Each structure stands twice: as C-alpha cells, then as structure tokens.
Amino acid sequence: MNTLTLADIETIVDTMVSVALAHEDEFSQLDGLCGDGDFGASLATGFDAIRTQWAELDRTSISAFALKCSTIITSKTGGCSGPLWGTAFMRFGIGARGRESLSLADLVALSQAAQAGMMARGGAKLGDKTLLDAMDAATTAIQQTADADGSIPRAFAAAARASAAATETAKSWTARRGRQSFTGNRSRDTYDPGMVAVTKMLEAVSTCFPIST
Amino acid sequence: MKKFINDPTHFVSEMMEGLILANPDTLRWKKDSNIIYRADAPRHDKVSVIQGSGSGHEPAHIMAVGKGMLDAAVPGNVFAAPPMDYIVECFKLMNTPKGILHLVNNYQGDRMGWDMAREMAEAEGIRTELVVIDDDVSVENSTYTVGRRGVAGNFFVIKAVGAAAEQGEDLDELVRIGKKVNGVVRSMGMALTGCTPPAKGEPIFTLADDEIEMGVGIHGEPGRRRDKIKPADQLVEEMFEAVAGDLPFSKGDRIGLMINGLGGTPISELYLLYRKAALLCRDRDLTVVQNYVGEYCTALEMAGYSITLIRLDDELETLMKAPAEIPIRTF
C-alpha cells in the first residue's frame, strides 16, 4: 500500500475523532496539571461536531473534505485549539488541491505545510514543547519510510513510535508557548497534552493500516 | 439581569432583524451567516470594505454599514469573534473584481478567525487585504490581545477607507489609507459601571458606587487602575494627556475629536465631557476640524466614555468630510 485515497483520509479523520472523544478526560487532566484543564473538552467538542455532520461532509475530493473538516474544527473547538487544529486541516486541504491520491512524499509535504501554518498562526517554534514537536518527529519518520520502501503502514507505525518518543523526550522540557508556559518550570516533568493527543491519534491510525507480512 | 430581551440566545439575531426592518431599502441580511450588507453590494466598480467582531459594541459594526462606510459586517455573539465559516461566507458574498478590504480590531480571537477565513477565501481566488486597528493607549497588552486593543478609533478607519472605496480607489490604496489612519488615531476609555452580556446573565465586573476603571477595554478588560470617582474635568484631563501625549499631537495640528459613549452614559454627560476636551484642545493649540459626540463603539450598557483624537491632513480631512449614510447617522 503506497497511496492514500479519499476513503483512507476519511478513515484517518474518523479515527482522530474517536481518539479525541475516548480520551477527553485524560487530555483535560493532563492540561489541568499546568494549563486551564479544558484541552480535552475543547478538542472533543470540535471533533464531535465532525462526527455529527459526518454524513453530509463534502466528499468531492480529499481537498474539499479536509477544508470542510477545517471549518468545523475551527468553528466548534474552544480556545486556541480551534484555529490551530483548523489551520492544520486547512493547509492540508489547500495543499491537496487536485490530488486524487497521496503518496508518502505528498503526506510529508502536506504535514510540513500544516506545521508551517500552525507556527504562523500561533507563533510557536520547534522545541517550545507543543504538538508541533510531535508532528515534526512523526513527519521525519514518514520521510524516512518514503525514502525507503514508501509503505504507508510502515510509515504510520514509524510515525506513531517517533511521536511517542518525542513526547517522552519533551516531558522534561519547560513549555515556552501556550497556556502551560505561564507556569514556567512547573511544566517540567509533565507531558504536553497536545503531544500526547497527536501520539494517541497516530497510534490509533497505525492500527487501521496494518503492515502486511 | 434586567434587560430588554426575549431569549438571550436570540439577542443578536433579533437586533439584526430590527435593523433590517428599520432599513428595508438600504440594508440586506444573510441570516444564516449573521451578515448585514448594503442592498447595492457588492458593486463591481469598487472594493468591498467589510468588518466583523463580537456583538455588543453597536453601532460597531452592523450599524456602520452603508454608503461611504462598510459594505458588510459579520458579527459573532456578544463579545465573541464571528465563526470562521461566517467570515468565509462574507468574503464570498462581497467578492468583487477589485477585491475586498477587511478591517480587524486587534484581538486574538478576531485576528485568528479572520486570518484563517482570509486564507480560505484566497484559496478560492478571492483577493483580500487586511488593516488591523490598535488605537487604545490604555495598556500595551490586555486580556484578549497581544499589543494594543482596537476601540473607537476604528470608526475613523472605516470612514476614511469607506470614502476612498466609494471614489473607486483600488485595494492597495485603501490599505495605505487605512494604515495611515490607524497610525494617527489614539483612544482611551474609562468605566463607571460594568456590563452584562445577555447569555452570561451577570456583570463581567462590578465597581463600587465611588469607583471607576481607568483605561477599561470594551469587553470590560482591566485598564490602568481602579480609582475613586473624581470631577469630570479631572478625568478628561488625565485621559486627554494620555491620548494626546501618545502620538504625540502637537501645537498647530488639525484634529478630529470624538467623545464616545460606552452605552450607558447620557448624551448630556457626553457633551459635558466634550466641553472639557475641546477646551484642552484650545489650550494646546489643536484645531478641532471635525467633532463626533455620541455612541460609536460601545460595551453593551456600560456607563463610561472614551476619548479619541485623530491628526488630520488635507487627504484625511477630505475623506472625513465625504458624504456617508449609515443607520445611525448621515455625514
């Protein structure tokens, strides 16, 4: 399996929705250690709105689907998570224009576009202990698989491992952006909820695309 | 809470419906996206000028829609930025071959929502430009801002770019004019009371009978300090010094002077405040070419006022004096 179709993208988004809803309390508790404790609820509200409108979502193309998801997430997700996650979907959707399927190389480019958009929107940089650090690690892993055999299942598995490792590494960092940064050194030795969410989503997506032996 | 409401969740839509019923010949309403727009918009021979922010600041912005001012306004709920999809709809509805200028007051929620909507619109081939307004000298950063807040100075930006758009100026020219106005307009506000968003049901903050909030924001954000009430002239003096000293305005300048009510201050008190501000202008040898006394940018029923000064040159003076017609006023 070396390309992703619209149906695969739908599977991925549906999986992200499930993770956001299933881990709502856990994400909020993580956020509550240093932030304002609403991350899980905010994320769940936005992704739940996607599920509510699932049947009517625009499926004319990967791009249209991603842009519709972007609009819903931005409009329905509370706090700063809405514009940030919404921007990721929007940049993905704009970058996917005219594509009927995506290769791993495409996925890397779109993920980088999404990260660049989030950085522009929220002002975070790599190393600030935000979900961008997890996305960057995952993207690098996908790039490496793209350079090797281009297998999508292998890429997702590698991305999930890389994201989990980055989340663990960043645990000892001090947050420099977002609500957690207000607590200064208190954010050390806590997991960043955004990074945990990205990791859980990648792990769940990975199980949807099993590596054939 | 004691207010003229039916259902707090219908507050914004029923206000818009009333506005449309009162102005059937000049305004239109796209109900599903909260858009109030000129009956003759979009016009293909001019740039569309649009703005949207939280409701509760009326007449900003839905009552600033009309000839020579905004082509459309897209508000959110009270004190909440409009949802991104409403803004995207507004861009689509107001699209013209000459493009769209959107004005945004400097608040994080508004900035992010408009930035995203703008990217979406541009991906669909709509040409847009942005002017950000941040005229409030009270505080350098605030509850909802990085940088200064955008308050009543917003009116002057709308007036200038609205007039220039009416004359057929292109998008780049409107951006230049909008930024120029924002560069020469300064404001500061203060509150005697808090205010109550209908959906919240209780005041955002409360002040004791003898207390004021000096430098308050139009969403009730804290200002420079909480203080005791003083004679009006002293309050005007402090705020005038802060505003006039910021640009700074200097001897011989020709200016526009605005005393803006925040929603719960009678026009009598506004003219009493204007008196002192005008006398201070005379003392400083600032010539008031244009004056504005009334409500331009409010915070629901908050008692309080703001003072705005704009430094005019020939170009801006002409734009300020150009004809304009909006529901609350004819210029």
Side-chain angles (χ1 to χ4, degrees):
Chain A
M1 181 183 183
N2 292 75
T3 57
L4 292 167
T5 62
L6 173 60
D8 296 323
I9 300 297
E10 285 183 52
T11 301
I12 291 170
V13 172
D14 186 50
T15 306
M16 292 172 76
V17 172
S18 297
V19 170
L21 296 180
H23 296 271
E24 175 179 344
D25 291 344
E26 181 190 340
F27 294 160
S28 280
Q29 276 160 17
L30 279 174
D31 187 32
L33 295 177
C34 281
D36 49 1
D38 66 352
F39 174 65
S42 297
L43 204 63
T45 307
F47 278 97
D48 188 45
I50 290 184
R51 182 152 285 171
T52 306
Q53 297 180 45
W54 188 254
E56 302 101 62
L57 294 179
D58 188 340
R59 289 180 169 77
T60 49
S61 65
I62 291 174
S63 172
F65 183 76
L67 289 175
K68 185 62 200 171
C69 290
S70 165
T71 302
I72 295 172
I73 287 174
T74 307
S75 303
K76 303 292 181 192
T77 308
C80 284
S81 295
L84 290 172
W85 289 72
T87 294
F89 274 85
M90 179 173 72
R91 287 292 176 98
F92 188 97
I94 289 172
R97 291 213 154 182
R99 301 293 178 86
E100 285 184 20
S101 64
L102 304 174
S103 68
L104 278 187
D106 295 331
L107 201 55
V108 169
L110 294 177
S111 177
Q112 286 167 344
Q115 289 173 62
M118 294 167 85
M119 287 185 201
R121 191 81 61 217
K125 298 183 296 291
L126 290 179
D128 285 351
K129 194 173 178 179
T130 70
L131 74 169
L132 284 165
D133 292 306
M135 290 175 70
D136 180 64
T139 306
T140 303
I142 295 173
Q143 175 75 64
Q144 285 162 356
T145 316
D147 294 341
D149 63 359
S151 155
I152 298 244
R154 273 186 230 289
F156 283 147
R161 283 195 303 273
S163 179
T167 306
E168 202 60 51
T169 302
K171 189 182 179 190
S172 62
W173 298 356
T174 302
R176 288 204 296 250
R177 200 76 205 176
R179 197 69 74 163
Q180 306 241 328
S181 66
F182 298 167
T183 62
N185 286 339
R186 254 183 65 203
S187 61
R188 280 190 196 168
D189 294 322
T190 59
Y191 290 110
D192 177 72
M195 293 183 80
V196 173
V198 169
T199 300
K200 297 267 184 212
M201 285 177 176
L202 283 168
E203 285 170 353
V205 166
S206 175
T207 63
C208 297
F209 297 89
I211 298 169
S212 51
T213 47
Chain B
M1 176 174 60
K2 185 158 68 175
K3 278 181 183 292
F4 293 114
I5 49 173
N6 297 303
D7 175 339
T9 60
H10 296 160
F11 178 78
V12 172
S13 66
E14 289 179 358
M15 164 178 68
M16 285 195 284
E17 190 172 2
L19 183 65
I20 288 302
L21 289 169
N23 299 275
D25 299 332
T26 50
L27 297 182
R28 295 288 177 270
W29 182 26
K30 191 171 191 306
K31 189 176 177 180
D32 59 5
S33 312
N34 270 16
I35 302 169
I36 297 282
Y37 60 105
R38 280 169 62 170
D40 62 346
R43 261 173 44 196
H44 285 224
D45 59 343
K46 73 183 279 293
V47 174
S48 289
V49 180
I50 66 175
Q51 182 158 24
S53 66
S55 293
H57 306 302
E58 292 70 22
H61 297 101
I62 57 173
M63 297 163 202
V65 176
K67 185 174 160 53
M69 295 279 283
L70 295 176
D71 290 276
V74 51
N77 286 327
V78 170
F79 297 171
M84 184 191 64
D85 46 343
Y86 289 13
I87 306 176
V88 172
E89 274 309 305
C90 191
F91 276 126
K92 287 180 185 170
L93 190 66
M94 289 296 114
N95 192 19
T96 83
K98 297 193 78 167
I100 301 178
L101 178 70
H102 66 287
L103 308 175
V104 179
N105 285 356
N106 187 34
Y107 298 95
Q108 279 160 340
D110 291 293
R111 292 286 299 269
M112 285 203 285
W114 281 88
D115 281 355
M116 287 198 67
R118 184 182 175 195
E119 267 190 50
M120 283 242 185
E122 288 184 341
E124 298 200 19
I126 298 172
R127 190 172 166 231
T128 74
E129 285 293 347
L130 158 76
V131 171
V132 176
I133 297 142
D134 56 355
D135 55 309
D136 190 341
V137 305
S138 305
V139 289
E140 290 306 316
N141 292 296
S142 185
T143 315
Y144 308 114
T145 65
V146 174
R148 290 181 166 186
R149 303 176 294 220
V151 289
N154 167 75
F155 164 83
F156 294 96
V157 179
I158 297 174
K159 181 72 189 69
V161 299
E166 213 67 47
Q167 291 158 12
E169 299 291 356
D170 67 21
L171 195 47
D172 292 339
E173 180 67 357
L174 294 190
V175 170
R176 180 190 67 77
I177 292 169
K179 287 183 173 169
K180 177 178 170 179
V181 174
N182 188 57
V184 295
V185 69
R186 297 289 188 276
S187 302
M188 183 167 172
M190 61 158 288
L192 302 179
T193 69
C195 61
T196 301
K200 189 175 162 72
E202 51 193 66
I204 294 180
F205 68 101
T206 52
L207 291 167
D209 272 354
D210 61 346
E211 272 184 336
I212 62 166
E213 180 71 35
M214 179 56 76
V216 74
I218 55 173
H219 313 89
E221 309 98 297
R224 292 186 172 183
R225 67 173 191 282
R226 202 158 276 198
D227 203 347
K228 296 292 179 191
I229 183 80
K230 296 171 189 164
D233 283 2
Q234 284 181 35
L235 296 170
V236 175
E237 253 172 51
E238 175 181 351
M239 291 165 68
F240 187 91
E241 292 306 321
V243 171
D246 191 86
L247 193 52
F249 291 81
S250 42
K251 202 174 164 167
D253 280 350
R254 297 167 66 77
I255 64 164
L257 172 60
M258 173 184 281
I259 296 293
N260 167 61
L262 292 181
T265 297
I267 192 79
S268 51
E269 291 178 27
L270 295 181
Y271 273 99
L272 186 149
L273 295 162
Y274 181 82
R275 165 195 157 274
K276 181 62 182 177
L279 292 175
L280 288 169
C281 286
R282 201 173 66 186
D283 292 349
R284 284 196 167 222
D285 199 13
L286 302 175
T287 306
V288 181
V289 183
Q290 292 281 101
N291 71 74
Y292 305 85
V293 184
E295 288 175 349
Y296 291 86
C297 184
T298 62
L300 294 170
E301 79 282 21
M302 183 184 288
Y305 87 104
S306 65
I307 180 168
T308 299
L309 264 65
I310 177 173
R311 183 162 66 206
L312 301 171
D313 58 12
D314 288 346
E315 180 185 39
L316 296 186
E317 202 174 316
T318 305
L319 293 170
M320 287 309 144
K321 288 181 171 168
E325 211 173 306
I326 53 177
I328 56 154
R329 191 165 169 173
T330 300
F331 296 92

